[in-house]
Amino acid sequence: MTIEVRNIVKKFGSFTALDSVDLKVGKGELLALLGPSGSGKTTLLRIIAGLDWPDGGEVRFDGENALARGAGERHVGFVFQHYALFRHMNVFENVAFGLRVQPRAVRLNETAIKKRVNELLDLVQLAWLSDRYPSQLSGGQRQRIALARALAIEPRILLLDEPFGALDAKVRKELRRWLRSLHDEIHVTSIFVTHDQEEALEVANRVVVMDKGRIEQIGTPGEVYDNPATAFVHGFIGESIVLPVDVRDGRVELGGKPLNLEPQGAGAGPSRLFVRRHDMQVGPAGSGVIEGAVRRVRAFGPIQRADVALPGGEGETLIEIDTPRDRELNPGDLVGLQPRRYRIFSAST
Amino acid sequence: MAQLDLITPVAPVRIREISAEHDARTEPRLIRLSIIGIAVTFLSIFVVLPLVVVFTQAFSRGIGAYLAALAEPEALSAIKLTLLVAAISVGLNLIFGLAAAWAVAKFDFPGKTFLITLIDLPFSVSPVISGLVFVLLFGAQGFFGAWLQARDIHILFAVPGIALATTFVTFPFVARALIPLMQEQGTQEEEAALSLGASGLQTFFRVTLPNIKWGLLYGVLLCNARAMGEFGAVSVVSGHIRGETNTMPLLVEILYNEYQFVASFAIASLLAMLALVTLVMKTILESRLQEGQVPRDD
Amino acid sequence: MSGVTGRRRTLPGFGLTMGLTLTWLSLIVLLPLAGLFLKTFELSLAQFFEIVTSRRTLNALKISFGLAFLAALVNLVMGTIVVWALVRYRFPGRRLFDAVVDIPFALPTAVAGVALTALFAQKGWLGAPLAELGIKVAFTPIGIFIAMVFIGIPFVVRTVQPVLIDLDPEIEEAAASLGASRWNTVTRVILPSLTPALLTGFALAFARAVGEYGSVIFIAGNLPNVSEIAPLLIVIRLSEFRYADATAIAVVMLVVAFLIIFLINRVQRWAQTRVPAF
């Protein structure tokens, strides 16, 4: 099943949650919608599911207009952020629900329902919990039951809203790997929403980065990390050192002094220089294009992290750099910084 | 050995006393006891004693007189009418309450707070006025009086009028019990049911109703207690036709005014028992409702 | 979550349930109340004024509002004491007395009326000793006051109780650690936090007592100008087929009741906007 979203607009009162969003999802993909809260990612997911309705635009499943159908007619499996398990039903009945509410003509008989539910509980490795009620389950177990319930209706699309958001860090990592392998097994077109970049980069085939109701970039995890399309993406994904620079006569200037860096097509005017922290090479004074003075050094696991002050037009800029622990670095030292890779974006973008 | 036995039990008691006196969140013992004493005395005189009086008066001539009073045809017809009126108004308000709670709790729309205020309105109208408005509509001099008279339709001084006034008075109970509960439960379970292919009715009966059943019962319980016990509004629209339009509370008044105290208090004792049963069930339901809150780990 | 502006609503049944709600509300509540106001418009202003300021009406309104105010004041004080005892102290029978508070809600008013009358009549359990002291309760304004206190008990207790339970213990500990005496802590920290709830409870008890009929009329004596409450006067005027008179009194009472709701809403809003400031 492919999904095509065209020019979707959604407003809540005067707030624009989605601002003409276009998106294509290929068959069998596992796509992440990544963005900060308020970026519109959950709203987009709910519109695809039929739980919210756009003010304009189209949603097509395999070319067919999905907006003509209600949530129940789209065959979409939806996993809610807080699972939304039916609290008065046990695990078995929760998973069986989607099968039991089918019209009589197409409904499976009791034996078939039992068989199917047990298969699903085996799939999520929780068959032993089938008599329990949601309140008796841990967060991770609820999550997997919610997934089994969504899969029971043999959905053409699986949508997950912050699937790991409410779990603690350890369970989250485990479930992440498990979801990835589950997707490899069942291969249903899936979209999940997350605000956690690590989660998106590790699990998804492709990542859609959103901000303020717009899509900033769509690409593989490698693409969005290595070639961020916008300043927002560069700042949001991975840890970056950001420096305010000016582009003048095709040259990049920091605090009025020219730097030996390519403007990369950024127009004249105030711009921002983005460097991944691990791409910033630290050497003795005079060894790089940027000079700075070390202010504070502290051990940080296997590395040491230093605050380095750079002279700027209006006062100095403080940045954090990382160096290996064995490198001698003291407050007051002058260092030279050389970006191995960098991006420059006009401040207006 | 003996010394130890003497010493050990003393220490913890003293520590407890000292800590109670110095606890930042309580008052000196004397003040504590006075407050408890005043509260208990006040509630005993104003609430418990009147309740006790009802039963002692009802049984003042023995159980035989008590039962005889209840077996009077007038008493039986009042009991029947009370049950009928309660059934009608509770039934109507049950349907209304469910509809109103669904609309108010599950959707957002402008004017929601105002709508809730309107639903609450009957709570702040004097019972007598609640009856009066129906007299003004359906009475001989009322807006529809002549029209009804021409067609020989009896609303006032008949069962429909009593049922209408009772429905008015008990209007907010079910809706008010359900709205906060359903608002707190949110819409996610319903959305989950719909996305799994359930129809609107299936969603309501299989997901919503099981989640609100205790709250619904709570609303019905309070609605029923008020419906059976309503006096002022019913008194205005009933016409006090003996054996026909007297509900139990009205019969209490009539018998009392005729100095038939045992009979009056016998009927009153039934209503008092209804109140007590209602309170006990209410307490049970309240603990059920608290249990029903599933903690969310977010 | 479900959008106001979307073309469709996610959950079904909004049109049906909203339609049912509005229809039912209009038929049962709004239309009858509108009829009451419509009826008053049949009166000229002079007529309305004449009815409302006639000696008997004025006295009935004075008795209802005046005694209701006094009863609500007593409930405010006694309710605070009761709620404090129920929430802050542990004593045998506490849960029973907590349940007992709801009896005035649950007991049909006519039952309360005959019971209070029997209790306070000259030969009653409380009436007899009081009569020896020369205090006559039943069939006097004091009787009306007693019945109004009875009916108002749950309001203050039940509105203040949840607020007192939820009151953060840390604010009291903070006050104590800053050197406040217990009396200062209670009067300057706790009571101000309870003020909105106390005011709401007071207003609810007052509103209920003003309109109360069943529990009052048995014990009142119902002597015109002395112990005749406004709701009873409405009933009397109706039985005399003086609908205009009944309606005029009702409108006065209703307008006051609406004013009270409005004030309570304001108090609640004030409380809500004030609370985060703590």
Side-chain angles (χ1 to χ4, degrees):
Chain A
M1 171 81 43
T2 64
I3 306 169
E4 201 178 344
V5 171
R6 266 192 230 141
N7 202 23
I8 286 286
V9 176
K10 174 71 179 176
K11 291 183 173 155
F12 292 107
S14 61
F15 174 72
T16 304
L18 292 173
D19 190 359
S20 37
V21 165
D22 291 287
L23 178 64
K24 275 187 185 172
V25 188
K27 190 170 182 313
E29 266 199 278
L30 177 52
L31 189 87
L33 294 180
L34 173 66
S37 58
S39 58
K41 53 194 194 305
T42 294
T43 307
L44 180 58
L45 195 76
R46 289 174 58 87
I47 286 174
I48 294 171
L51 296 172
D52 265 327
W53 297 82
D55 297 313
E58 287 178 50
V59 178
R60 297 192 171 274
F61 292 171
D62 276 346
E64 185 191 314
N65 178 17
L67 293 180
R69 296 164 176 271
E73 303 152 341
R74 290 192 195 179
H75 290 281
V76 167
F78 198 96
V79 178
F80 291 80
Q81 185 178 1
H82 299 294
Y83 325 125
L85 292 177
F86 305 127
R87 64 195 98 180
H88 62 287
M89 295 179 196
N90 64 23
V91 163
F92 183 94
E93 286 305 318
N94 260 285
V95 178
F97 183 88
L99 303 172
R100 295 203 192 282
V101 295
Q102 295 300 313
R104 196 176 294 273
V106 295
R107 195 188 307 158
L108 298 175
N109 65 35
E110 193 56 32
T111 348
I113 289 179
K114 228 176 207 159
K115 186 161 167 284
R116 174 107 188 96
V117 172
N118 286 328
E119 280 168 13
L120 284 159
L121 289 177
D122 284 337
L123 181 72
V124 299
Q125 298 152 8
L126 290 177
W128 55 288
L129 289 176
S130 80
D131 294 331
R132 300 274 186 91
Y133 283 84
S135 58
Q136 301 166 303
L137 304 181
S138 72
Q141 290 167 342
R142 284 184 213 179
Q143 174 62 272
R144 284 191 276 167
I145 296 304
L147 194 61
R149 183 179 70 177
L151 291 174
I153 58 170
E154 298 182 359
R156 304 184 296 175
I157 297 167
L158 187 60
L159 303 175
L160 306 100
D161 185 8
E162 294 276 6
F164 315 113
L167 302 171
D168 58 55
K170 191 164 165 286
V171 181
R172 192 184 299 194
K173 284 214 151 163
E174 243 172 62
L175 269 180
R176 217 143 75 183
R177 205 166 307 130
W178 177 77
L179 179 69
R180 179 70 247 182
S181 61
L182 183 79
H183 182 262
D184 292 343
E185 200 175 320
I186 58 177
H187 234 76
V188 59
T189 309
S190 307
I191 305 179
F192 71 98
V193 156
T194 180
H195 62 271
D196 180 341
Q197 40 158 322
E198 206 184 312
E199 206 164 280
L201 298 183
E202 189 182 321
V203 179
N205 303 120
R206 277 202 307 154
V207 177
V208 178
V209 186
M210 296 185 69
D211 184 44
K212 295 183 183 133
R214 290 171 171 277
I215 291 180
E216 295 276 325
Q217 186 174 6
I218 306 177
T220 64
E223 280 164 8
V224 295
Y225 188 84
D226 295 333
N227 296 308
T230 65
F232 172 81
V233 177
H234 207 309
F236 189 70
I237 294 181
E239 283 193 271
S240 298
I241 294 168
V242 188
L243 288 175
V245 293
D246 279 295
V247 175
R248 204 168 293 160
D249 307 328
R251 292 198 308 187
V252 182
E253 293 181 359
L254 175 65
K257 282 194 229 161
L259 299 179
N260 186 17
L261 296 173
E262 268 296 305
Q264 298 174 339
S271 302
R272 281 187 289 169
L273 169 68
F274 285 82
V275 186
R276 297 270 182 233
R277 189 172 285 146
H278 57 82
D279 282 336
M280 188 67 99
Q281 202 171 322
V282 184
S287 69
V289 297
I290 308 168
E291 297 284 305
V294 176
R295 283 290 146 83
R296 213 164 75 89
V297 182
R298 57 215 181 267
F300 194 73
I303 53 149
Q304 60 185 343
R305 183 159 285 179
D307 292 343
V308 175
L310 309 178
E314 299 141 31
E316 51 179 37
T317 316
L318 215 57
I319 60 168
E320 280 185 333
I321 55 152
D322 292 343
T323 59
R325 281 286 279 275
D326 52 13
R327 191 196 165 102
E328 182 87 12
L329 210 57
N330 290 305
D333 289 356
L334 292 179
V335 289
L337 303 173
Q338 179 66 47
R340 271 184 290 255
R341 292 157 55 99
Y342 60 92
R343 292 296 305 272
I344 293 176
F345 297 101
S346 282
S348 53
T349 56
Chain B
M1 207 41 201
Q3 249 184 333
L4 273 178
D5 279 344
L6 275 176
I7 293 164
T8 38
V10 176
V13 173
R14 276 177 63 189
I15 289 167
R16 202 187 308 143
E17 269 175 7
I18 292 165
S19 67
E21 285 306 312
H22 291 265
D23 187 340
R25 295 192 61 227
T26 192
E27 291 73 37
R29 191 178 156 80
L30 191 66
I31 295 181
R32 280 206 310 270
L33 288 179
S34 319
I35 289 179
I36 294 173
I38 294 171
V40 166
T41 313
F42 176 73
L43 289 178
S44 301
I45 290 180
F46 274 88
V47 185
V48 179
L49 266 187
L51 200 63
V52 176
V53 162
V54 172
F55 291 98
T56 47
Q57 292 280 338
F59 289 102
S60 59
R61 299 253 172 85
I63 191 143
Y66 176 80
L67 291 177
L70 294 183
E72 285 287 320
E74 230 181 331
L76 290 176
S77 102
I79 293 170
K80 256 190 246 164
L81 179 62
T82 302
L83 292 176
L84 174 68
V85 168
I88 294 172
S89 54
V90 170
L92 289 175
N93 282 330
L94 175 70
I95 295 166
F96 160 77
L98 277 172
W102 183 266
V104 169
K106 301 286 182 189
F107 300 93
D108 280 328
F109 53 88
K112 193 175 190 169
T113 324
F114 184 62
L115 181 64
I116 295 176
T117 309
L118 289 182
I119 291 172
D120 272 345
L121 214 50
F123 273 162
S124 42
V125 175
S126 169
V128 168
I129 299 175
S130 311
L132 168 71
V133 292
F134 291 102
V135 174
L136 295 179
L137 284 185
F138 304 118
Q141 301 174 29
F143 292 103
F144 304 114
W147 190 89
L148 290 170
Q149 215 154 28
R151 279 155 193 81
D152 201 28
I153 301 170
H154 298 278
I155 291 184
L156 218 54
F157 311 137
V159 175
I162 298 173
L164 265 176
T166 307
T167 308
F168 177 98
V169 169
T170 55
F171 190 80
F173 282 101
V174 179
R176 286 306 269 159
L178 291 181
I179 288 171
L181 181 67
M182 284 167 74
Q183 267 172 340
E184 196 218 290
Q185 289 180 346
T187 54
Q188 284 221 330
E189 286 185 42
E190 281 80 10
E191 286 176 357
L194 288 173
S195 81
L196 290 168
S199 69
L201 282 180
Q202 279 174 325
T203 303
F204 177 75
F205 282 107
R206 291 180 182 227
V207 175
T208 310
L209 202 55
N211 278 339
I212 61 168
K213 61 180 179 223
W214 298 120
L216 185 66
L217 202 58
Y218 186 83
V220 164
L221 184 77
L222 296 188
C223 183
N224 176 65
R226 181 70 194 265
M228 288 192 173
E230 179 51 31
F231 176 70
V234 170
S235 164
V236 171
V237 297
S238 125
H240 301 96
I241 305 165
R242 302 201 86 142
E244 273 182 47
T245 62
N246 280 332
T247 60
M248 288 162 74
L250 295 181
L251 191 60
V252 170
E253 181 196 21
I254 291 169
L255 295 171
Y256 188 87
N257 288 341
E258 289 172 350
Y259 304 102
Q260 299 189 47
F261 292 128
V262 169
S264 171
F265 279 100
I267 305 284
S269 74
L270 288 185
L271 290 168
M273 279 189 266
L274 168 77
L276 290 177
V277 169
T278 303
L279 280 186
V280 170
M281 285 179 64
K282 175 173 164 280
T283 313
I284 296 171
L285 282 177
E286 275 164 359
S287 61
R288 285 276 176 148
L289 277 167
Q290 262 158 14
E291 276 169 29
Q293 318 291 358
V294 177
R296 279 177 168 171
D297 53 351
D298 51 342
Chain C
M1 275 301 239
S2 52
V4 185
T5 47
R7 279 183 298 194
R8 284 176 64 173
R9 292 173 187 274
T10 311
L11 296 188
F14 179 72
L16 176 74
T17 54
M18 194 63 176
L20 202 62
T21 304
L22 290 180
T23 313
W24 195 231
L25 183 71
S26 306
L27 282 179
I28 298 287
V29 177
L30 301 182
L31 182 76
L33 284 177
L36 180 73
F37 285 96
L38 224 74
K39 191 82 186 170
T40 15
F41 289 131
E42 290 176 9
L43 294 169
S44 72
L45 205 62
Q47 279 173 309
F48 179 81
F49 203 66
E50 197 192 315
I51 294 168
V52 174
T53 56
S54 78
R55 185 164 164 261
R56 191 169 170 188
T57 311
L58 220 49
N59 278 323
L61 288 170
K62 261 190 221 160
I63 290 163
S64 278
F65 284 102
L67 289 174
F69 188 81
L70 283 182
L73 271 185
V74 168
N75 275 319
L76 183 66
V77 176
M78 296 312 289
T80 310
I81 292 174
V82 167
V83 86
W84 194 271
L86 291 178
V87 172
R88 287 304 176 91
Y89 306 142
R90 296 290 168 268
F91 55 93
R94 185 183 63 92
R95 290 171 64 93
L96 184 71
F97 279 102
D98 193 357
V100 155
V101 169
D102 278 331
I103 284 179
F105 268 154
L107 199 67
T109 55
V111 179
V114 294
L116 287 170
T117 313
L119 198 58
F120 286 97
Q122 258 177 325
K123 286 180 186 164
W125 293 347
L126 294 176
L130 284 170
E132 274 182 34
L133 296 172
I135 304 169
K136 199 165 171 278
V137 174
F139 318 122
T140 72
I142 303 177
I144 302 176
F145 166 77
I146 296 275
M148 285 175 169
V149 169
F150 169 85
I151 208 71
I153 288 168
F155 291 94
V156 173
V157 177
R158 291 299 182 230
T159 42
V160 177
Q161 200 169 22
V163 184
L164 187 59
I165 289 173
D166 284 345
L167 200 67
D168 187 351
E170 284 184 2
I171 68 164
E172 283 167 62
E173 287 164 0
S177 76
L178 292 168
S181 68
R182 186 63 192 158
W183 172 252
N184 271 329
T185 304
V186 170
T187 52
R188 295 190 181 205
V189 176
I190 301 179
L191 285 183
S193 315
L194 300 181
T195 306
L198 285 167
L199 282 178
T200 305
F202 172 82
L204 288 170
F206 175 67
R208 173 71 199 259
V210 166
E212 184 51 30
Y213 177 70
S215 52
V216 174
I217 54 157
F218 294 94
I219 199 171
N222 306 327
L223 210 62
N225 300 317
V226 178
S227 57
E228 184 178 67
I229 54 168
L232 178 67
L233 190 57
I234 294 177
V235 174
I236 291 172
R237 292 306 186 216
L238 271 180
S239 66
E240 297 165 351
F241 297 101
R242 289 165 67 173
Y243 282 18
D245 293 48
T247 311
I249 304 167
V251 163
V252 172
M253 293 183 63
L254 214 53
V255 168
V256 174
F258 291 167
L259 271 177
I260 293 172
I261 306 180
F262 177 74
L263 282 177
I264 290 174
N265 282 341
R266 291 307 292 263
V267 167
Q268 302 276 13
R269 200 169 303 167
W270 167 61
Q272 270 166 15
T273 52
R274 205 185 60 150
V275 165
F278 274 103

